[in-house]
Amino acid sequence: MKEGKENEWIEPLMNDLRKLEEAQQAEVPRQYELMDTLAEFKRKRKKAWKRELAIFIFTALTILATYFVVSLKMPAVFLWVQVLAIITIPIIYAAEKKRRRSLNEVLDDGF
């Protein structure tokens, strides 16, 4: 008699599980879809690499110019550069963060 009671709830449960499995069947992507996705990823990485290279070169030139100004003992120019850097760095950071959010990129704030 116990087996009859067990079957009463096992069969509906198994039917429900089959329905869930059928609903969750994912379609296998075609080769051209995978290739398009890969090509898009490569384009984005190349664009990001160029942007990062430009930022690196700009930063290196800024540091070089700062050392040049300090070596020539021009404190007024050095102070102006420092003030401009303090003003522009948060603006650049906010713009970059907004751009990454709009592209749904993963943000790495270093935390």
Side-chain angles (χ1 to χ4, degrees):
M1 191 147 197
K2 262 188 171 178
E3 287 183 21
K5 288 184 180 181
E6 286 180 7
N7 287 338
E8 288 177 9
W9 65 272
I10 290 178
E11 289 300 319
L13 177 64
M14 295 301 286
N15 288 335
D16 290 341
L17 288 174
R18 278 190 211 104
K19 287 179 185 176
L20 281 174
E21 286 179 2
E22 290 172 4
Q24 297 297 324
Q25 292 296 329
E27 190 175 319
V28 177
R30 304 205 185 276
Q31 182 179 4
Y32 70 88
E33 293 172 337
L34 291 174
M35 296 305 288
D36 286 344
T37 304
L38 181 62
E40 181 182 344
F41 175 76
K42 286 181 177 180
R43 275 193 306 272
K44 286 182 180 179
R45 285 306 315 152
K46 188 174 182 179
K47 184 178 178 182
W49 184 81
K50 286 181 181 179
R51 184 180 62 248
E52 290 169 4
L53 180 64
I55 291 171
F56 173 77
I57 290 172
F58 178 74
T59 304
L61 291 175
T62 303
I63 291 170
L64 184 65
T66 302
Y67 284 135
F68 182 71
V69 167
V70 169
S71 69
L72 293 178
K73 297 180 181 177
M74 300 188 327
V77 174
F78 180 72
L79 290 175
W80 276 109
V81 169
Q82 293 298 314
V83 169
L84 290 175
I86 289 172
I87 293 171
T88 57
I89 287 176
I91 295 170
I92 293 171
Y93 178 76
E96 183 70 14
K97 195 170 186 179
K98 183 179 177 183
R99 186 193 63 80
R100 286 189 179 191
R101 280 203 179 128
S102 69
L103 296 176
N104 294 325
E105 287 186 15
V106 177
L107 295 176
D108 183 16
D109 291 334
F111 297 111

